[in-house]
Amino acid sequence: MFGIGGGELVFIMFIVLMLFGADKVPEMARTMGKAMAQLKNATNDIKSEIQKGAEANGLDAASFTNMTGNITSEIEKAKEDLLGDSVIQATKVKEDIEDITGPVKRNM
């Protein structure tokens, strides 16, 4: 949870207990729990409104999947074209250099 280990959580709880006292901690925990529940409900409401709006405009999960699949295939095709051209050009340059200079051999 948020990258906090067990020992760190116990230390934080100890500090909170020391600052606010044993009688205030349960009340604070209840208040935080209610706030988290309200936040969760609000985000779920927003999410459902966005989904309803998208469906009303003709956008659903299947169309998004189809759209992303098309985009991905176009990107892969472009990568293959670029990579293929680069390999061909690199091979041609290597052959040109070898034709000009010949193989380099060490003299020992």
Side-chain angles (χ1 to χ4, degrees):
M1 181 170 101
F2 305 114
I4 297 176
E8 296 165 338
L9 189 61
V10 169
F11 181 73
I12 292 170
M13 289 172 54
F14 177 74
I15 297 297
V16 168
L17 184 63
M18 294 299 290
L19 288 174
F20 298 106
D23 55 337
K24 296 282 185 183
V25 172
E27 182 182 330
M28 289 173 40
R30 264 187 242 104
T31 304
M32 287 185 66
K34 288 178 184 178
M36 294 294 285
Q38 287 177 347
L39 181 65
K40 183 179 178 182
N41 289 337
T43 55
N44 286 339
D45 289 342
I46 292 170
K47 183 179 176 182
S48 67
E49 288 296 321
I50 291 171
Q51 286 177 343
K52 286 178 186 177
E55 289 173 359
N57 290 324
L59 301 173
D60 58 348
S63 65
F64 282 128
T65 303
N66 189 15
M67 191 183 324
T68 56
N70 291 339
I71 292 171
T72 304
S73 65
E74 290 296 323
I75 290 172
E76 290 299 322
K77 190 187 311 179
K79 283 168 54 176
E80 288 174 4
D81 291 344
L82 289 173
L83 183 61
D85 292 343
S86 299
V87 170
I88 292 169
Q89 289 176 354
T91 305
K92 185 177 178 182
V93 169
K94 180 182 175 185
E95 290 172 355
D96 291 343
I97 291 173
E98 287 179 353
D99 288 342
I100 294 171
T101 59
V104 178
K105 295 182 181 178
R106 288 189 173 180
N107 294 327
M108 290 189 187

